Amino acid sequence: MNASTVSPLAPATFPALPPVAGATARVARARYKAWNRCDLTFVTLAPGTVVAGVLTQSRCPSPEVEWCRAALPHGRARALVVNAGNSNAFTGHRGRAAVEAIAARAAAHLGCPADEVFVASTGVIGVPLPIDKAEAGLDAAFAAAPCDWQDAAATIMTTDTFAKGAVATALVGGRTVTIAGIVKGSGMIAPDMATMLGFIFTDAAVTPAFLQQMLAAANSRSFSCITVDGDTSTSDTVLAFATGKAGNAPLAAAADPGADAFQAALSQVCLDLAQLVVRDGEGASKFIEVAVTGAETDASARRIALAIANSPLVKTAIAGEDANWGRVVMAVGKAGEPAERDRLAIRFGATQVAEGGLAVEGYDEAPVAAHLKGKEIEIGVDLGLGDGRATVWTCDLTHGYIAINADYRS
Amino acid sequence: MNASTVSPLAPATFPALPPVAGATARVARARYKAWNRCDLTFVTLAPGTVVAGVLTQSRCPSPEVEWCRAALPHGRARALVVNAGNSNAFTGHRGRAAVEAIAARAAAHLGCPADEVFVASTGVIGVPLPIDKAEAGLDAAFAAAPCDWQDAAATIMTTDTFAKGAVATALVGGRTVTIAGIVKGSGMIAPDMATMLGFIFTDAAVTPAFLQQMLAAANSRSFSCITVDGDTSTSDTVLAFATGKAGNAPLAAAADPGADAFQAALSQVCLDLAQLVVRDGEGASKFIEVAVTGAETDASARRIALAIANSPLVKTAIAGEDANWGRVVMAVGKAGEPAERDRLAIRFGATQVAEGGLAVEGYDEAPVAAHLKGKEIEIGVDLGLGDGRATVWTCDLTHGYIAINADYRS
């Protein structure tokens, strides 16, 4: 892989993620590839931990995704195993057997049912995960000393150029609960190596249904609102685990005291993690926020925003620091959503460049040029039709993306 | 623009396009840009010429598209005017005024109603087409000697690297009818310069409704089945003109004798023209055919085929000559159409590489590698679900695409 240098959009440091009572991470070398780094992450979770998750909508998911989908309804988790270097996707019965073997091994270590072990894998596709390496790696991890979240975040990486974590706290019934998360991903996907996997750990006491409801809501405004190349992994997985160790009165409904604080903190962690994935987008040199307002509905706004964010022509224009609002018009037009050319308004940064169906005559190009030279780009589109709004995040499309994805052999 | 060299996928020569009785092309220098080339094409059509068309589905179309959409139901045409260098899109009332002025000027020259003049423009967006240049150009073209189709094909070009034409004949009621077409386009779109415009001229006698029916059918398996970057122009236009000079008994229904021959010839011309656009795809180094079979329906097959053809990860893999079928699985999975991972079969060229949900063990990599080194790539996907099938065409995604679209200032 060519992605050896850290993304220019990376934050300066990994944030200080505190321990989460009841969740203990360990890492080991399973050597899924010929590399000398840890590539297996094993997180043990205290008895009573509840789990929620959102999984790829791909019609061709990995066996790990199928395993998690089947286990999630039980709502209980005792362990998470993450393999980096081999996605185990599209490997038929041998892939399924590998997931079952991993779950059984972890369950044996912990004395828990196998369906309380959650498994995620990322890396090359089409090669069954070697069971012997996975089992040896698990045994080694089980015997290892606990590590911090930064080590775990580094161990789940594949083509990522930096480790990604986020944290927030919330006051729930007089107790401070902590929400810590790690994520990996650098294309929205590449079945090769760049699947998005996100794991969130909290000591809050919650019911599984409440956690699922909160995660789904947070996901809809974070992980579901980012795109690097519009491609969708066979393995994308976000799981949230709540150990209950904070000692708060368990949250069970959105109306419970503290539920709003919990939702806000969880949403912030998800948004931070999602934006970090965009900041590590393959070849990215600009972080782009696309804010659509005035659509008929929020859903319509989101589809228009994603049409803009996924347009190769918009993304290459931003790479070229070109205020090419014509390409934004094109993307709005192709989204298939209600739009009226003669009500459309477009801004780059704070400068309105088009309005009422035509260019703003004589708009000041200097602030637009200055904005586009920066690393954080805002594209604003107002449709002038209703109250629907959505914001999504993406990155530009550069020679780096081509180099990573074309000049590479699977 | 950087696209000065001819695409490596271009045919060796422009085909020999014969004159079409009743359709006379002339070109002139309107100088829409600071260039010394003809950029206005004026085709006069004999009285009685009928017209059909398919237009962009963009919600933000150019005023030319709106003009054509309004004029098409009349079914009659006396002239076509094509401007290259300025798309006149997103220019508000001034853009509409320019189209009206052009139609009025051409109608005055010919003594026909303005709504029998069809207008198409391609080039920069957001700048109203200068009426004075258009009128002077039209006057010059009207006074010029007729030109051949190759000159017209060259005059409608923008970022195209070669002129594009196709021809076919059909025997209709004992008369040979000729169908000649020209097209321009090199991204599926770029509002800057790469809109697809196609114009087809035939001496067949047909009714407008018949021509519309035949063109819609041909379009659905040609222009609607190509993609360069998944973006959709605000100006995409395909118009077919039939002068009736061949003297055949007018075709009015699909069951008429000769209608099937006419349909076959028109479909061939549309397919040839559509594939030429792909062969001039921005930065293209490989021509890719994606054939999907075994889908639940033809429409489902087409959506899956386009998901594959539009996937940046598939397109970069082909650019890298990498038999990365995992990315094809990913694209099938993200299409949102019925698919079962464990029935999926994938081939590159003639070699099956995946089958029944996993890699074909020990498949011969030599013919796959040889196939991917060529310029004509076939990706075959069988879903194993039904009889639905579709074939689409695209090109790879290379550094050239980024260079053309990012290293360029509008």
Side-chain angles (χ1 to χ4, degrees), chain A residues 232-260:
Chain A
T232 305
S233 170
T234 54
S235 307
D236 287 336
T237 298
V238 176
L239 297 171
F241 303 96
T243 65
K245 296 293 185 189
N248 59 293
L251 293 170
D256 287 352
D260 51 351

Coordinates of all heavy atoms in Angstrom, one line a residue, chain A residues 232-260:
Chain A
T232 N -19.8 1.0 -0.6 CA -20.3 0.4 0.7 C -19.7 -0.9 0.9 O -19.8 -1.8 0.1 CB -21.8 0.2 0.5 OG1 -22.4 1.5 0.1 CG2 -22.4 -0.2 1.9
S233 N -19.0 -1.0 2.1 CA -18.3 -2.3 2.4 C -19.3 -3.4 2.6 O -20.4 -3.2 3.1 CB -17.5 -2.1 3.6 OG -17.0 -3.3 4.0
T234 N -18.8 -4.6 2.4 CA -19.5 -5.8 2.8 C -19.4 -6.1 4.3 O -20.0 -7.0 4.8 CB -18.9 -7.0 2.0 OG1 -17.5 -7.0 2.3 CG2 -19.1 -6.9 0.6
S235 N -18.7 -5.3 5.0 CA -18.3 -5.5 6.4 C -18.6 -4.4 7.3 O -18.3 -4.5 8.6 CB -16.9 -6.0 6.5 OG -16.5 -7.0 5.6
D236 N -19.1 -3.2 6.9 CA -19.2 -2.1 7.8 C -20.0 -2.4 9.0 O -21.1 -3.0 8.9 CB -19.9 -0.9 7.0 CG -19.0 -0.2 6.0 OD1 -17.8 -0.3 6.1 OD2 -19.6 0.4 5.1
T237 N -19.5 -2.1 10.2 CA -20.0 -2.5 11.4 C -19.8 -1.4 12.5 O -18.7 -0.9 12.6 CB -19.4 -3.8 11.9 OG1 -19.6 -4.8 11.0 CG2 -19.9 -4.2 13.3
V238 N -20.8 -1.0 13.2 CA -20.7 -0.1 14.4 C -21.4 -0.8 15.5 O -22.6 -1.1 15.4 CB -21.2 1.3 14.1 CG1 -21.1 2.1 15.4 CG2 -20.5 2.0 13.0
L239 N -20.7 -1.0 16.6 CA -21.2 -1.7 17.8 C -21.0 -0.8 19.0 O -20.0 -0.2 19.1 CB -20.6 -3.0 18.0 CG -20.7 -4.1 16.9 CD1 -19.8 -5.3 17.2 CD2 -22.2 -4.6 16.8
A240 N -22.0 -0.7 19.8 CA -21.9 0.0 21.1 C -22.2 -1.0 22.3 O -23.1 -1.7 22.2 CB -22.9 1.1 21.1
F241 N -21.3 -0.9 23.2 CA -21.3 -1.8 24.4 C -21.5 -0.9 25.7 O -20.7 0.1 25.8 CB -20.1 -2.6 24.5 CG -19.8 -3.4 23.3 CD1 -18.9 -3.0 22.3 CD2 -20.3 -4.7 23.1 CE1 -18.6 -3.7 21.2 CE2 -20.0 -5.4 22.0 CZ -19.2 -5.0 21.0
A242 N -22.4 -1.3 26.5 CA -22.6 -0.5 27.8 C -22.5 -1.5 28.9 O -23.3 -2.5 29.0 CB -24.0 0.1 27.7
T243 N -21.5 -1.2 29.8 CA -21.2 -2.2 30.9 C -22.1 -2.0 32.1 O -22.1 -2.9 33.0 CB -19.7 -2.1 31.3 OG1 -19.5 -0.7 31.8 CG2 -18.8 -2.3 30.1
G244 N -22.6 -0.8 32.3 CA -23.5 -0.6 33.4 C -22.7 -0.2 34.7 O -23.3 0.0 35.8
K245 N -21.4 -0.1 34.6 CA -20.6 0.1 35.8 C -20.7 1.5 36.4 O -20.2 1.7 37.5 CB -19.1 -0.3 35.5 CG -18.9 -1.7 35.1 CD -19.2 -2.6 36.3 CE -18.8 -4.1 36.0 NZ -19.3 -5.0 37.0
A246 N -21.2 2.4 35.7 CA -21.3 3.8 36.2 C -22.3 3.9 37.4 O -22.2 4.9 38.2 CB -21.7 4.8 35.1
G247 N -23.2 2.9 37.5 CA -24.1 2.9 38.7 C -25.3 3.8 38.6 O -26.0 4.0 39.5
N248 N -25.5 4.4 37.4 CA -26.7 5.2 37.2 C -27.9 4.3 37.2 O -27.9 3.1 36.9 CB -26.6 6.0 35.9 CG -26.4 5.1 34.7 OD1 -25.4 4.5 34.6 ND2 -27.5 5.1 33.8
A249 N -29.1 4.9 37.5 CA -30.3 4.2 37.3 C -30.5 3.9 35.8 O -30.3 4.8 35.0 CB -31.5 5.0 37.8
P250 N -30.7 2.6 35.5 CA -30.6 2.2 34.1 C -31.6 3.1 33.2 O -32.7 3.3 33.6 CB -31.1 0.8 34.1 CG -30.7 0.3 35.4 CD -30.9 1.5 36.3
L251 N -31.0 3.5 32.1 CA -31.8 4.3 31.1 C -32.6 3.3 30.2 O -32.0 2.4 29.7 CB -30.9 5.2 30.2 CG -30.2 6.3 30.9 CD1 -29.2 6.9 30.0 CD2 -31.2 7.4 31.4
A252 N -33.9 3.5 30.1 CA -34.7 2.6 29.4 C -35.6 3.3 28.3 O -36.1 2.6 27.4 CB -35.6 1.8 30.3
A253 N -35.7 4.6 28.4 CA -36.6 5.3 27.5 C -36.1 6.7 27.3 O -35.4 7.3 28.1 CB -38.0 5.4 28.0
A254 N -36.4 7.2 26.1 CA -35.9 8.6 25.7 C -36.4 9.6 26.7 O -35.7 10.7 26.8 CB -36.3 8.9 24.3
A255 N -37.5 9.4 27.4 CA -38.0 10.4 28.3 C -37.3 10.3 29.7 O -37.6 11.2 30.5 CB -39.5 10.3 28.4
D256 N -36.5 9.3 30.0 CA -35.9 9.1 31.3 C -35.0 10.3 31.5 O -34.3 10.8 30.6 CB -35.1 7.8 31.3 CG -36.0 6.6 31.4 OD1 -37.2 6.8 31.6 OD2 -35.5 5.5 31.3
P257 N -34.9 10.7 32.8 CA -33.9 11.8 33.1 C -32.5 11.4 32.8 O -32.1 10.3 33.1 CB -34.0 11.9 34.7 CG -35.3 11.3 35.0 CD -35.6 10.2 34.0
G258 N -31.8 12.2 32.1 CA -30.4 12.0 31.7 C -30.3 11.3 30.3 O -29.2 11.3 29.7
A259 N -31.5 10.9 29.7 CA -31.4 10.2 28.4 C -31.0 11.2 27.3 O -30.2 10.9 26.4 CB -32.8 9.6 28.1
D260 N -31.4 12.5 27.5 CA -31.0 13.4 26.5 C -29.5 13.7 26.5 O -28.9 13.9 25.5 CB -31.9 14.7 26.6 CG -31.9 15.3 28.0 OD1 -31.4 14.6 28.9 OD2 -32.4 16.4 28.2

